Amino acid sequence: MDDAASAPPVRRSARVRAPELAGKGGWLNTGGAAYTLAGLRGKCVVIDFWTFCCVNCLHVVDELRELEERHRDTLVVIGVHSPKFPHEAEHAAVADAVERYAVTHPVLDDPELTTWTQYAVRAWPTLVIVDPEGYVVATYSGEGHVPEIERLVTELEAEHAAKGTLRRGDLPYAPPEPEPTVLRFPGKVLRLPSGTFLVTDTTRHQVVELAEDGETVLRRFGSGERGLVDGPPARARFQEPQGLALLPDGAVVVADTVNHALRRLDPESGEVTTLAGTGSPWRPGNPTEGPAREVRLSSPWDVVRWRGKVWIAMAGIHQLWSYDPAAGTVAREAGTGGEQLVDGPAREALFAQPSGLAVTAEGLWVADSESSALRLLDADGEVRTAVGAGLFAFGYRDGPADGALLQHPLGVTALPDGSLAVCDTYNQALRRYDPATGEVTTLAGDLREPSGAVVVGEDVVVVESARHRLTRLRLPAEVVRPHADAERSVTGIAVGPVHLDVVFTPPPGQKLDTRDGPATRLLVSASPPALLRGGEGAGSDLSRALETDPVGQGVLHVVATAAACDADPEVLHPACHVHRREWRLPVRPDAGGADRLVLELSGADGPGRASGQAPYPSL
């Protein structure tokens, strides 16, 4: 760097012998060779502890490119892949990631975190600097440290050249032979009004138009080389583009992720221009609003039109931003920049690498990948979580949303019935969340890293990123037609105390069966769970005092059960029945809402909402 000679020496840690490198998954990019630190004596070594789910780790991979090139005969970067999610412990997935993100240095696959533990690493990403004699001299956590690392490498080069302990020469790079596929790790998909598809061909740094069959290439936009260059299709350059959104004038906004920019693509002429971003990543202290071409962005991963603006999933800084086409400005809309799962007012909420966006009547839905969550920014400016519980709460579980689990979802798509299709990327599945019922189900499995989807008639077209293709799936009939609950009007209820009464009158000739304890049971829950501050859970009383919070629209889920037997005292063994009914009530707490809800559990339960009467043995 230009000021390296005048800058003070970089502060180093006490020299400690660097532990040897070990990982059960073996090595990538080495042609089968296994490297050791002992074999790298004489080189400056940067050990990059990373995992491919982590956008900050991907930032570091990009930051290191120029450093590697400028010091290629004295410096070796070793990536140690240290997984967070179970999917990331699969060797084939690591190999895919190395190709997907164009990692050009040796990578040690360490699925059991052996080397991670030896180096006492605690965060992704972490960079450890080892000098030519094999001693650790510095450790850095997070991104943005490459300028200081370069100063340190320059000092080490001079110091060890003088001592005679510096060894020059390139390290061989042996990438695997790429497969001849039409797309290579595609990211997101958009259907154009003409019926054709636009797909971001992420690893090839292009946007591709496919015919209606989803396979035949019609046009490619971008030269295929990394860069931020405007112009006609053959000259323009992207860098790992992802999300796509259609503007009213027919142009398409492209989330040009690694260029930290929004681009405009004219599908008619193929001309590409830059709408927002400077090409450099946002850093703490940079502005979060202003003229779009003057404000830095950070790994925009998806884009969608909502409320007259283009909303941006700003994965790199865990926020939602907007781009105003009329004013030519950008602004932070939601998220503090901290990485966590915290609901609340938009600007106070916390996200964790938002990577997918979709719009329904309820608001803006967000696939929040690192928290394995589905979030909603509603029309009132409140963020609430529909599915997900935190940064390390992940897995594969269908059922009620408050107990369902996802694993690093990268995409979300609105379905015709008002429910959402979630690209559950690391579970290799397409999941469905129904806001009307609060249930999570699986639409399809055996999809390799699905990352985006679009509805086409009665089908959904899914981007199978790790299979390098689009896959068309038939939607279930109940998803294609409008949902009964979605058509029902939303009930306004009071904010705070709300009294719930379930009325049960035994059918003629029956009476409540209290011989073995309470004859009734009431179960109350809500989606999202934050809808209820109090009153949820099970009890024997059919009346319940609820306490609501103003979280926007939600669903109150009520299940009532009553046991009744024949009332004739002359009958020795009376016939007994369980009466059960289930309600899923779309509600919205507001100041003028009703403070009492009355539901009827009759002996003749209504069709479609009740389980009917089930005989049970009398003791």
Side-chain angles (χ1 to χ4, degrees):
M1 300 180 66
D2 293 341
D3 60 346
S6 59
V10 178
R11 184 174 180 178
R12 308 183 193 181
S13 57
R15 291 199 344 152
V16 176
R17 179 66 70 181
E20 196 46 87
L21 304 172
K24 186 177 180 180
W27 289 86
L28 296 161
N29 283 350
T30 67
Y35 291 133
T36 64
L37 286 180
L40 295 173
R41 290 287 191 273
K43 296 284 189 181
C44 301
V45 179
V46 175
I47 304 175
D48 176 20
F49 290 90
W50 70 298
T51 188
F52 65 77
C53 73
C54 165
V55 70
N56 306 97
C57 298
L58 302 182
H59 289 173
V60 169
V61 168
D62 290 313
E63 290 173 358
L64 289 171
R65 296 187 196 280
E66 290 187 10
L67 177 69
E68 292 178 81
E69 182 60 30
R70 285 195 292 265
H71 299 267
R72 58 186 307 166
D73 67 335
T74 59
L75 174 69
V76 176
V77 175
I78 300 288
V80 177
H81 188 268
S82 312
K84 170 186 173 182
F85 292 100
H87 175 61
E88 295 176 300
E90 300 172 12
H91 183 75
V94 179
D96 280 348
V98 168
E99 179 189 349
R100 181 196 301 263
Y101 299 115
V103 180
T104 58
H105 49 250
V107 173
L108 175 62
D109 180 11
D110 185 17
E112 297 177 349
L113 302 180
T114 303
T115 299
W116 166 284
T117 302
Q118 287 294 312
Y119 279 81
V121 177
R122 294 289 180 269
W124 295 278
T126 291
L127 295 164
V128 176
I129 317 303
V130 180
D131 72 14
E133 293 180 304
Y135 289 92
V136 173
V137 293
T139 300
Y140 301 88
S141 293
E143 60 181 277
H145 299 293
V146 166
E148 184 171 348
I149 291 172
E150 181 155 24
R151 287 173 50 208
L152 177 55
V153 168
T154 301
E155 291 176 12
L156 292 172
E157 287 171 341
E159 178 183 322
H160 287 273
K163 291 173 62 176
T165 52
L166 184 69
R167 179 162 55 93
R168 297 183 179 274
D170 290 356
L171 198 67
Y173 166 53
E177 193 68 29
E179 298 177 32
T181 54
V182 171
L183 302 172
R184 204 69 191 157
F185 298 105
K188 305 287 186 181
V189 60
L190 173 71
R191 192 167 187 241
L192 293 174
S194 64
T196 62
F197 297 96
L198 275 188
V199 185
T200 44
D201 198 7
T202 303
T203 299
R204 292 196 177 122
H205 316 296
Q206 293 178 322
V207 178
V208 180
E209 184 180 8
L210 300 179
E212 293 183 60
D213 62 8
E215 298 178 2
T216 305
V217 175
L218 301 179
R219 290 184 294 173
R220 289 184 177 271
F221 304 96
S223 69
E225 299 293 324
R226 286 180 180 271
L228 179 56
V229 178
D230 290 343
R235 192 172 79 86
R237 292 190 181 189
F238 298 95
Q239 194 168 187
E240 297 181 26
Q242 286 283 345
L244 300 163
L246 189 66
L247 293 174
D249 64 2
V252 174
V253 178
V254 182
D256 197 4
T257 306
V258 177
N259 276 327
H260 310 287
L262 298 187
R263 315 291 293 284
R264 180 185 187 274
L265 169 63
D266 184 341
E268 293 296 323
S269 67
E271 190 77 15
V272 176
T273 53
T274 299
L275 296 173
T278 67
S280 297
W282 186 93
R283 296 295 186 207
N286 290 161
T288 56
E289 60 181 273
R293 292 295 304 273
E294 298 175 16
V295 177
R296 294 183 175 194
L297 311 184
S298 183
S299 293
W301 210 276
D302 202 8
V303 282
V304 70
R305 282 181 57 231
W306 187 45
R307 292 179 159 184
K309 298 179 182 180
V310 175
W311 289 67
I312 310 164
M314 203 72 80
I317 48 176
H318 319 295
Q319 294 175 345
L320 303 180
W321 285 31
S322 68
Y323 164 69
D324 186 337
T329 57
V330 292
R332 176 177 72 93
E333 299 283 358
T336 67
E339 184 179 13
Q340 190 52 268
L341 188 150
V342 176
D343 291 343
R347 284 181 166 258
E348 299 172 18
L350 275 73
F351 294 88
Q353 211 168 298
S355 302
L357 300 173
V359 173
T360 70
E362 293 183 271
L364 179 67
W365 294 90
V366 183
D368 204 28
S369 61
E370 276 296 283
S371 63
S372 297
L374 178 64
R375 319 280 296 279
L376 173 68
L377 172 59
D378 67 21
D380 296 327
E382 293 284 322
V383 174
R384 57 183 173 89
T385 299
V387 185
L391 290 174
F392 290 90
F394 49 81
Y396 197 140
R397 184 189 299 151
D398 284 343
D402 57 1
L405 294 174
L406 308 171
Q407 188 186 174
H408 198 77
L410 288 178
V412 58
T413 303
L415 295 175
D417 69 336
S419 63
L420 288 305
V422 179
C423 289
D424 194 6
T425 309
Y426 289 1
N427 277 327
Q428 324 289 352
L430 189 68
R431 312 284 291 284
R432 174 176 176 248
Y433 169 69
D434 187 349
T437 65
E439 294 286 318
V440 174
T441 55
T442 296
L443 291 172
D446 190 31
L447 301 170
R448 286 192 60 190
E449 296 193 9
S451 57
V454 64
V455 173
V456 180
E458 297 185 353
D459 298 337
V460 60
V461 176
V462 182
V463 179
E464 280 198 88
S465 188
R467 280 201 178 108
H468 319 292
R469 71 186 189 192
L470 302 186
T471 297
R472 185 182 289 257
L473 304 170
R474 179 54 53 95
L475 288 168
E478 66 269 19
V479 173
V480 174
R481 61 174 178 260
H483 195 294
D485 279 338
E487 293 180 333
R488 184 190 303 174
S489 61
V490 176
T491 300
I493 59 175
V495 175
V498 174
H499 197 82
L500 171 66
D501 285 310
V502 176
V503 178
F504 175 71
T505 302
Q510 293 185 20
K511 65 178 181 179
L512 287 173
D513 180 14
T514 59
R515 292 171 297 170
D516 298 309
T520 57
R521 185 175 185 271
L522 182 65
L523 176 65
V524 179
S525 61
S527 176
L531 176 68
L532 288 180
R533 187 189 308 160
E536 67 274 17
S540 60
D541 194 339
L542 290 183
S543 293
R544 183 75 59 83
L546 307 179
E547 188 81 14
T548 69
D549 263 348
V551 296
Q553 185 173 324
V555 176
L556 192 64
H557 189 185
V558 180
V559 181
T561 307
C565 293
D566 291 341
D568 188 346
E570 300 299 321
V571 177
L572 183 60
H573 298 291
C576 297
H577 305 269
V578 171
H579 303 269
R580 182 181 183 277
R581 189 164 181 179
E582 182 174 348
W583 295 266
R584 297 180 178 91
L585 305 173
V587 297
R588 178 185 290 275
D590 58 54
D595 61 2
R596 188 177 183 220
L597 286 174
V598 180
L599 306 175
E600 184 176 353
L601 172 61
S602 67
D605 293 329
R609 285 296 170 192
S611 59
Q613 298 180 9
Y616 71 96
S618 174
L619 298 176

